Amino acid sequence: MTKANPQSLEEILTVDLFGETYNFKTDADTSQASAIVGSIVNEVARAGEGMKGPLTENRKFIQLLVATLNIAKELAEVKKNHAELQEKLTQKSATLIEKLGGCQP
């Protein structure tokens, strides 16, 4: 959830986790910020699905850590895929330029 801060261009980003509300300033687009919050909340909930027992501070920490590791893994995969795609595009561009007789002004 986000709401406008009338004194600046920043938005206030509200994150509800474990029954606690946390507010952060962000300059991100409102819909983008809301999507990010939703992703984080969903990943934290998913990380806690298999956990049993009371919601202690230690369990909250572990749940947040698991969610963070999951998000970091996903980001690493996206970066790897992006680098591979960029390399393929570079190779294809070079091939096309070669077929067209090189780049001449």
Side-chain angles (χ1 to χ4, degrees):
M1 165 189 271
T2 60
K3 59 185 175 183
N5 181 350
Q7 298 168 354
S8 73
L9 295 177
E10 295 174 332
E11 298 283 330
I12 302 298
L13 182 65
T14 302
V15 181
D16 293 311
L17 288 172
F18 308 118
E20 298 285 330
T21 301
Y22 304 92
N23 294 312
F24 300 93
K25 290 181 183 177
T26 180
D27 57 357
D29 175 289
T30 302
S31 61
Q32 181 184 20
S34 293
I36 291 169
V37 168
S39 294
I40 291 169
V41 170
N42 289 339
E43 192 60 44
V44 171
R46 190 171 75 98
E49 285 177 355
M51 296 182 185
K52 296 181 181 180
L55 189 61
T56 62
E57 293 302 313
N58 188 48
R59 181 174 154 205
K60 289 178 188 178
F61 176 77
I62 291 169
Q63 193 170 336
L64 288 170
L65 184 58
V66 169
T68 301
L69 292 170
N70 290 341
I71 292 169
K73 178 184 175 198
E74 185 177 331
L75 177 60
E77 289 171 0
V78 167
K79 285 182 175 182
K80 179 182 175 240
N81 291 340
H82 180 265
E84 289 172 355
L85 178 60
Q86 191 171 15
E87 180 60 29
K88 285 179 184 177
L89 288 172
T90 299
Q91 290 173 359
K92 293 217 181 252
S93 295
T95 301
L96 284 172
I97 290 170
E98 186 179 312
K99 287 181 180 181
L100 293 171
C103 243
Q104 298 177 5

